[in-house]
Amino acid sequence: MQRFDCLAPDAPLLGPHFLEASAGTGKTFAIEHVVARLILKGIDLEQILVVTFTRAATRELKLRIRSNLERMSEHKRIGEALASFDRCQIFTIHGFCSRMLKEYAFEAGLQLGFTETKDPGVETALRDFFELKLTEKIICLEQLNRVIGIGTVEDLTRKLKKGEKPESAKLFSQREEEFRLMLQKCPFPFEGFEAIQGNYKKMDGDFISQVEALIRSDFRKLISERKSIFNFTASENKKVKTKDLPYPSFLDWGRVHLLPLIEEAQDSKEILNTLLYVWKPIQEKALLDSGILGPDELLKGMSQAIQNESFRKKVEEKYRAVLIDEFQDTDPVQWQIFETLFLNKIEALYLIGDPKQSIYRFRKADLYTYLKAKDSIPVEGHFYLDTNFRSSKPLIDALNGLFDRQWLYLPKEKRSLPYFPVRAGLELQSDFGDDKGAVHCVRLEKEAMYNYIASEILRLKNKVLSWGAFAVLVRTRYEAIEMQSLLESLNVPSLTRSSEPLCESLPFVAMKELFDALHSPRNLGKAKVVLAGPFGGLNVEQIQSTDTSPFIGLRALLDEKGLPIFFQNFLQTCLGKRTVQENIASYGVTFFAEWSQLLELLFEWEQRSGFSFEGVNRFFERIERMDPDDAICKRKEVDSDSVQIMTMHVSKGLEFDVVFALGVGSRTQEGDEEVESEKLRQLYVAMTRAKRRLYVPIPFEPKEAKMGTFSPIELFCQALSPEGSWEDELRKLAKTTSLTIEQVEAPIVLVPALQIEKSSNSPPVHRIPPYQASYLLSFTAMAQETCIEALEPMTEPNGIYSAQNMPRGSETGVIIHRIFERVFSEKTPVELIVEEELGTLLAWKDVVIKIIEDSLDLPLPYGFCLREVEKARVEMEFIYLDKANYIKGFIDLLFVHDQKLYFVDWKTNWLSDYSPEKLEAAIRAHQYDLQASIYTEALKREWKGEIGGAIYLFVRGPKASCFHA
């Protein structure tokens, strides 16, 4: 392999490149400069494809590439590229496939209207699956009850939609037959067991029923029990004084031959695998039949499309250079697509990755595919980056000493990955003025490691810039919870960071429960569910004694004031400040951060769509149904001045001054050689996050363990010196590098929180502040109605449907807005749009058509009507900073007429009188003048010409009327 310098004048930019970029060696720096130099060589920006594997990485690459081009904008070609940067080709793999299949749908052989979003057809297929196709041959009712019993029906359907089809699975009929045949082979009688029940301790299940089930060969009954008779009659459950047991040989035989069959049939994971095995082909067919492609179907669709020569040529002709980032996370299907389209067919191909950081097997990433791709590129195209721009020289030297050996074993190829030592590119100080090296190995029982980490954080705090300079890398969320709990008890601010979807968070569940209770405010059961959770500030006993739900009043508040004001009152007034603060604080600061994130999303949704309980249910469902790559993840507050606690997987790509690699000392469940190989790569990721100091837990003499259960550090120590003592090897490295070893003997005493000196450098007390809006402000959130227009009763005189008696509320408004949006964005006749959109308002079809037509033909004070507008933009989103807050909103319609900019807002409130005086009164009452000023300010910041005015169309009157500002 050759060293690659992206800035060197003689760097080979064209041709195939296989570029290995070890941790911290400036991979993104190389990508942004390669793109710039390719542009200077005459390749247009639109002809350069950059692919990475997450949306977050895509956003970062766009930002970095654009910033680099701006620094070089004096070059003419770079300036031209910047001018057209909105057409840059930077995608995730799924985004790339989606774009190509849409752009060349005809050549791909796909229907032109396909989309990659979810489809009602899948919902219908899923209902049919449960109601018609899920027979007891697949799984029995007892199994279904087990898998639903650990969650909800919604949880199960979400897992079925998101899960992957296993390679194989057993149907219930197969399991039942296997059990029956095994029972027939039993060489012992199995009768008379009733007499021995008293010889054992309490049983979690029905002993007599299971005996009878064994006699009848009733497998279903046996798997319906919580604990098996064979668990009950195990020797460890036997009482001290017992009678002689009849047929003990049968019990022993059954424990070996029957119990595994029963427990496997009871296992929720096995049951889910069976469901997935049968459901996934049905789901795939439903998606393809409706022209809708999910993530896996996108890749399959692309694989099929590239077999079509006309499609393949279109894509090949589109690009002259391709850079594929994080290539170690590629799977066989993805590489087959890239190989077919680009290998030896374009001017420059870069496959960029690091096999030592391939840690996503659970996402189908295949390291052997990476190595196969490497073999397909000539040796002269193999390069690596050799300079680390992240860590201090002492730390890099110590890590080189540890890693420069044969330790990254590849089981399938019976060899190890080579390690290329890196050199330091920064002058960074790593000395903290103590006796510890840049890599500090600590021998300590795991239970004491938490205290040790906390004591080191407190000791080093005044030598780093912030609490955010520390990171604790864990393996499981339970380790994260324990670490965060300890730090919070010491007044040390901490933040757990996760790649988990927001829909799996506690605030998400609590929010759904809250709206469920609000939808049925008289349901005491639903009220108690909410009050048993994080919002349990009200007295549950009081509810039980009065049989009155507090959600009746809360529902009235929501209906009257809307979401933002409701939540302010809910957290401050309705439940009481002090109680709620203490209640939410008990769930930690992470809960509050995720709750605030969810509120922001909810308020943005309400601003766009208007509130309804049906709509809010769809809002939650949309978040739950998102695919993993697109899912809204729990907020990652990178700049928060808190100790960062995260899993080793989440830490990939990040860096911190001081890192505690706690997770490398954690053992896992049993696995194979490939699992152990990936554990070592996880260790590499964890140990390359630090800039100044790395703390590594080293084991005592490894305890006995099965293959696949060793911790990453135990595996590394075994590889450190296969023929000698790994401890001797560490001591030898300690003499030549900045590596130290510490064995902690005495108990670690932490200073109690109240005795920590309160200085400017001391950690703040971690309390939840009184709730205040921390979300983006909008007109809906800011406006407060000063009066309410008197509403006449909704009637249908003589069966006549009119604008007056149309249903009032947000649902009607949403439908009318959607119709106007389509009228100005499509060429479809108004009548067809109305028919498609009205739904429950279909009886008012003629009324709505007249509303739309009258609104289009209404003469405006500016000398024209909306039907004369040729081009318009609908639902335009804006955001701008005003003092300390961001103001955000959506403009219904925006257009230019006679070189002046106008915006329109559709108003569907019913007014009994549409005289100019009443219109002005309604405008003041609803503060539409405030809305007009907010929207006008947003437009002034972007539009350099003259703003014509703000048009408010009250469309439900006898004729459409307007107010202009």
Side-chain angles (χ1 to χ4, degrees):
M1 269 193 167
Q2 315 165 58
R3 178 175 177 269
F4 184 79
D5 183 354
C6 63
L7 300 180
D10 59 347
L13 294 175
L14 302 182
H17 294 69
F18 192 88
L19 182 57
E20 183 169 321
S22 293
T25 54
K27 176 189 65 174
T28 306
F29 180 87
I31 292 174
E32 65 190 48
H33 282 84
V34 166
V35 169
R37 295 191 64 182
L38 289 172
I39 292 172
L40 291 174
K41 270 193 171 290
I43 300 178
D44 292 339
L45 178 65
E46 292 180 67
Q47 297 174 313
I48 302 173
L49 170 65
V50 182
V51 178
T52 189
F53 284 81
T54 67
R55 288 177 179 265
T58 300
R59 289 192 294 270
E60 182 188 2
L61 276 173
K62 283 183 180 179
L63 180 63
R64 291 281 298 269
I65 290 172
R66 183 181 187 113
S67 297
N68 188 50
L69 293 179
E70 287 173 346
R71 289 191 293 268
M72 306 169 63
S73 58
E74 69 276 5
H75 294 277
K76 181 181 177 183
R77 287 197 57 82
I78 298 294
E80 292 172 350
L82 274 172
S84 63
F85 194 79
D86 60 329
R87 297 196 294 273
C88 68
Q89 304 289 296
I90 305 175
F91 306 110
T92 63
I93 173 63
H94 293 98
F96 163 68
C97 293
S98 173
R99 176 66 67 89
M100 294 302 99
L101 292 174
K102 285 179 180 178
E103 194 167 330
Y104 306 116
F106 180 78
E107 291 83 356
L110 294 174
Q111 53 181 300
L112 295 177
F114 100 91
T115 175
E116 69 274 17
T117 56
K118 294 289 184 283
D119 178 64
V122 174
E123 303 298 321
T124 302
L126 192 55
R127 283 197 300 272
D128 290 345
F129 174 68
F130 277 113
E131 294 174 6
L132 304 174
K133 299 177 182 178
L134 191 58
T135 65
E136 293 202 339
K137 179 181 178 181
I138 299 171
I139 65 168
C140 65
L141 184 60
E142 289 77 8
Q143 287 179 304
L144 187 60
N145 287 337
R146 277 186 167 272
V147 77
I148 292 178
I150 61 172
T152 65
V153 174
E154 290 76 15
D155 292 333
L156 177 58
T157 56
R158 187 167 64 250
K159 289 175 181 176
L160 288 178
K161 292 173 191 174
K162 290 185 176 181
E164 297 177 4
K165 181 184 176 183
E167 293 183 1
S168 62
K170 285 185 181 179
L171 305 182
F172 171 71
S173 57
Q174 295 172 311
R175 296 183 187 279
E176 188 176 38
E177 180 66 11
E178 189 177 355
F179 176 83
R180 186 182 62 79
L181 292 175
M182 182 60 70
L183 195 57
Q184 288 177 356
K185 296 178 182 178
C186 177
F188 307 103
F190 44 96
E191 297 178 350
F193 288 101
E194 297 87 344
I196 68 169
Q197 184 174 3
N199 293 334
Y200 295 92
K201 301 170 188 175
K202 185 177 179 181
M203 180 177 183
D204 188 9
D206 192 325
F207 181 86
I208 301 300
S209 295
Q210 289 194 51
V211 171
E212 294 172 350
L214 282 168
I215 294 171
R216 299 193 310 270
S217 299
D218 188 347
F219 188 48
R220 292 176 55 159
K221 174 60 182 174
L222 293 171
I223 65 176
S224 70
E225 293 286 340
R226 285 181 291 182
K227 288 292 184 181
S228 170
I229 187 175
F230 298 110
N231 297 120
F232 175 62
T233 56
S235 58
E236 59 268 20
N237 197 42
K238 189 161 50 172
K239 293 179 180 178
V240 176
K241 295 182 179 180
T242 61
K243 303 174 184 178
D244 291 336
L245 303 179
Y247 316 124
S249 299
F250 168 75
L251 297 174
D252 296 337
W253 181 88
R255 198 169 293 111
V256 173
H257 295 91
L258 300 180
L259 182 59
L261 301 179
I262 296 170
E263 290 181 334
E264 190 177 88
Q266 294 174 324
D267 190 326
S268 59
K269 289 184 180 179
E270 291 289 334
I271 300 169
L272 181 61
N273 274 345
T274 301
L275 290 170
L276 285 168
Y277 187 79
V278 179
W279 157 248
K280 277 302 171 181
I282 299 173
Q283 181 186 25
E284 184 175 334
K285 184 177 185 303
L287 288 169
L288 292 175
D289 287 348
S290 57
I292 288 184
L293 303 181
D296 289 341
E297 288 74 24
L298 269 175
L299 295 178
K300 291 177 184 176
M302 190 72 173
S303 294
Q304 294 169 4
I306 59 176
Q307 306 308 314
N308 187 318
E309 185 177 0
S310 59
F311 174 82
R312 192 170 62 248
K313 283 187 175 180
K314 285 286 186 181
V315 180
E316 290 170 359
E317 291 168 359
K318 184 178 180 68
Y319 299 110
R320 295 172 60 188
V322 175
L323 295 87
I324 304 174
D325 186 23
E326 300 289 359
F327 190 68
Q328 76 278 352
D329 295 330
T330 305
D331 66 32
V333 175
Q334 293 167 357
W335 171 235
Q336 181 251 341
I337 293 170
F338 293 136
E339 181 182 29
T340 303
L341 290 173
F342 304 127
L343 185 62
N344 300 322
K345 295 179 180 179
I346 55 176
E347 294 172 49
L349 173 64
Y350 287 76
L351 308 180
I352 308 162
D354 182 6
K356 302 183 294 301
Q357 298 188 70
S358 178
I359 59 173
Y360 290 112
R361 287 177 71 236
F362 65 91
R363 292 184 184 171
K364 299 183 181 179
D366 180 47
L367 181 55
Y368 297 103
T369 295
Y370 172 96
L371 298 173
K372 176 185 175 184
K374 179 180 179 180
D375 291 339
S376 67
I377 290 180
V379 175
E380 57 269 22
H382 294 185
F383 301 90
Y384 72 98
L385 301 177
D386 73 336
T387 305
N388 183 300
F389 298 97
R390 170 181 297 158
S391 307
S392 69
K393 187 177 187 308
L395 181 54
I396 290 171
D397 290 343
L399 290 177
N400 280 336
L402 286 168
F403 293 148
D404 193 8
R405 62 192 75 241
Q406 300 293 309
W407 62 283
L408 278 169
Y409 186 64
L410 301 172
K412 191 181 291 187
E413 297 195 354
K414 307 296 182 187
R415 66 181 180 90
S416 294
L417 280 173
Y419 175 83
F420 298 96
V422 295
R423 57 186 183 178
L426 293 178
E427 291 295 329
L428 184 64
Q429 178 59 253
S430 64
D431 184 12
F432 287 98
D434 53 22
D435 59 352
K436 295 177 173 62
V439 174
H440 187 63
C441 302
V442 184
R443 172 174 276 167
L444 188 63
E445 291 288 356
K446 183 179 178 182
E447 291 69 24
M449 275 298 296
Y450 298 98
N451 277 17
Y452 179 84
I453 291 171
S455 68
E456 287 294 282
I457 289 173
L458 290 169
R459 186 179 67 83
L460 296 177
K461 172 57 180 69
N462 62 351
K463 298 182 180 180
V464 297
L465 293 176
S466 68
W467 295 107
F470 298 102
V472 183
L473 309 186
V474 298
R475 189 183 70 83
T476 68
R477 64 186 181 95
Y478 301 105
E479 292 175 351
I481 291 170
E482 187 167 351
M483 190 72 243
Q484 186 175 38
S485 176
L486 174 60
L487 291 177
E488 287 188 354
S489 72
L490 296 167
N491 293 335
V492 174
S494 62
L495 182 71
T496 56
R497 298 176 60 188
S498 172
S499 59
E500 296 176 8
L502 185 62
C503 66
E504 296 179 7
S505 68
L506 177 60
F508 186 87
V509 175
M511 184 80 91
K512 286 187 67 177
E513 293 171 348
L514 174 61
F515 277 103
D516 195 28
L518 288 168
H519 191 214
S520 306
R522 299 183 184 279
N523 189 316
L524 294 178
K526 292 182 178 180
K528 291 171 185 175
V529 168
V530 175
L531 299 175
F535 308 124
L538 289 177
N539 191 314
V540 179
E541 289 75 15
Q542 181 182 357
I543 297 172
Q544 292 170 337
S545 63
T546 61
D547 288 335
T548 302
S549 170
F551 289 92
I552 296 173
L554 292 173
R555 171 63 182 272
L557 177 69
L558 174 62
D559 290 342
E560 181 179 349
K561 296 294 184 181
L563 278 180
I565 295 176
F566 163 78
F567 275 110
Q568 289 178 3
N569 281 271
F570 175 70
L571 289 178
Q572 287 186 336
T573 305
C574 297
L575 299 184
K577 292 182 183 178
R578 188 182 62 83
T579 303
V580 171
Q581 302 314 325
E582 294 172 353
N583 209 339
I584 296 182
S586 68
Y587 288 85
V589 71
T590 302
F591 176 94
F592 187 74
E594 293 165 1
W595 168 256
S596 298
Q597 180 185 2
L598 191 55
L599 279 181
E600 290 176 12
L601 295 170
L602 187 65
F603 292 154
E604 289 178 19
W605 162 79
E606 191 262 356
Q607 171 73 8
R608 290 194 305 270
S609 306
F611 179 81
S612 70
F613 282 100
E614 294 77 9
V616 84
N617 286 335
R618 290 194 296 270
F619 166 80
F620 289 127
E621 288 174 4
R622 182 181 65 82
I623 295 177
E624 289 176 317
R625 290 173 185 169
M626 285 182 170
D627 295 303
D629 286 344
D630 298 335
I632 300 172
C633 290
K634 300 173 185 178
R635 175 173 287 146
K636 299 178 179 180
E637 304 200 20
V638 179
D639 298 325
S640 175
D641 188 15
S642 303
V643 175
Q644 306 286 302
I645 305 172
M646 67 195 73
T647 64
M648 295 182 287
H649 281 88
V650 171
S651 74
K652 187 172 177 290
L654 303 178
E655 57 186 46
F656 307 91
D657 280 12
V658 180
V659 171
F660 300 89
L662 175 66
V664 301
S666 300
R667 285 186 167 182
T668 58
Q669 296 178 352
E670 189 169 352
D672 55 20
E673 284 186 308
E674 293 295 345
V675 171
E676 291 197 337
S677 178
E678 187 172 65
K679 285 181 188 177
L680 287 169
R681 300 195 293 272
Q682 292 171 9
L683 174 138
Y684 175 80
V685 169
M687 291 177 63
T688 52
R689 302 304 101 200
K691 295 159 66 176
R692 299 176 63 188
R693 176 173 290 172
L694 168 70
Y695 287 83
V696 183
I698 57 174
F700 289 88
E701 283 304 318
K703 301 171 184 175
E704 238 179 83
K706 296 179 182 178
M707 167 75 74
T709 62
F710 285 111
S711 68
I713 195 62
E714 287 174 331
L715 292 170
F716 182 74
C717 286
Q718 292 171 19
L720 197 58
S721 182
E723 297 178 0
S725 165
W726 60 266
E727 293 181 273
D728 291 342
E729 184 66 17
L730 285 181
R731 293 190 189 98
K732 187 165 64 174
L733 284 171
K735 294 178 181 178
T736 58
T737 67
S738 182
L739 182 146
T740 50
I741 306 168
E742 177 184 11
Q743 180 158 335
V744 181
E745 302 287 356
I748 299 169
V749 180
L750 295 173
V751 179
L754 294 178
Q755 296 179 23
I756 294 178
E757 181 182 354
K758 296 293 188 291
S759 67
S760 59
N761 290 326
S762 64
V765 176
H766 216 54
R767 293 199 180 100
I768 303 298
Y771 181 82
Q772 58 183 2
S774 60
Y775 45 88
L776 302 177
L777 296 179
S778 64
F779 164 70
T780 304
M782 297 166 66
Q784 296 183 1
E785 296 185 11
T786 56
C787 69
I788 299 176
E789 174 73 17
L791 297 178
E792 298 180 7
M794 189 173 74
T795 60
E796 295 177 16
N798 302 319
I800 296 174
Y801 292 91
S802 67
Q804 178 180 351
N805 62 36
M806 283 176 65
R808 293 167 191 163
S810 60
E811 284 296 305
T812 296
V814 169
I815 291 172
I816 299 296
H817 275 69
R818 196 160 55 229
I819 292 171
F820 273 117
E821 181 180 336
R822 290 186 59 186
V823 165
F824 282 94
S825 59
E826 302 176 11
K827 295 182 178 179
T828 309
V830 170
E831 184 174 352
L832 290 180
I833 294 175
V834 171
E835 286 181 352
E836 292 173 5
E837 295 292 346
L838 274 187
T840 57
L841 298 182
L842 193 58
W844 282 269
K845 171 186 169 184
D846 293 339
V847 175
V848 174
I849 291 175
K850 188 173 188 308
I851 283 174
I852 304 301
E853 298 287 359
D854 286 352
S855 299
L856 295 176
D857 292 330
L858 175 72
L860 300 174
Y862 308 107
F864 63 91
C865 65
L866 291 180
R867 198 181 292 276
E868 299 173 38
V869 174
E870 295 183 0
K871 291 183 179 181
R873 183 171 175 181
V874 298
E875 281 294 301
M876 192 206 80
E877 181 180 11
F878 67 82
I879 181 172
Y880 65 87
L881 184 64
D882 180 56
K883 297 180 181 178
N885 296 311
Y886 284 93
I887 310 296
K888 181 174 183 176
F890 289 84
I891 295 175
D892 290 346
L893 185 72
L894 188 70
F895 65 89
V896 176
H897 188 80
D898 289 340
Q899 298 183 342
K900 295 179 182 179
L901 185 69
Y902 298 85
F903 73 83
V904 179
D905 208 84
W906 316 112
K907 297 303 177 187
T908 57
N909 13 349
W910 168 257
L911 303 179
S912 57
D913 184 349
Y914 284 82
S915 64
E917 296 78 12
K918 285 291 185 180
L919 282 179
E920 290 183 11
I923 287 165
R924 287 195 302 272
H926 296 281
Q927 295 191 7
Y928 293 151
D929 49 349
L930 170 63
Q931 182 183 28
S933 65
I934 291 173
Y935 288 11
T936 302
E937 176 62 25
L939 296 175
K940 284 180 178 177
R941 297 186 180 212
E942 297 295 331
W943 176 255
K944 303 307 179 186
E946 184 179 351
I947 295 180
I951 302 168
Y952 285 79
L953 289 184
F954 291 81
V955 300
R956 285 180 63 175
K959 64 177 182 178
S961 305
C962 72
F963 163 79
H964 60 92

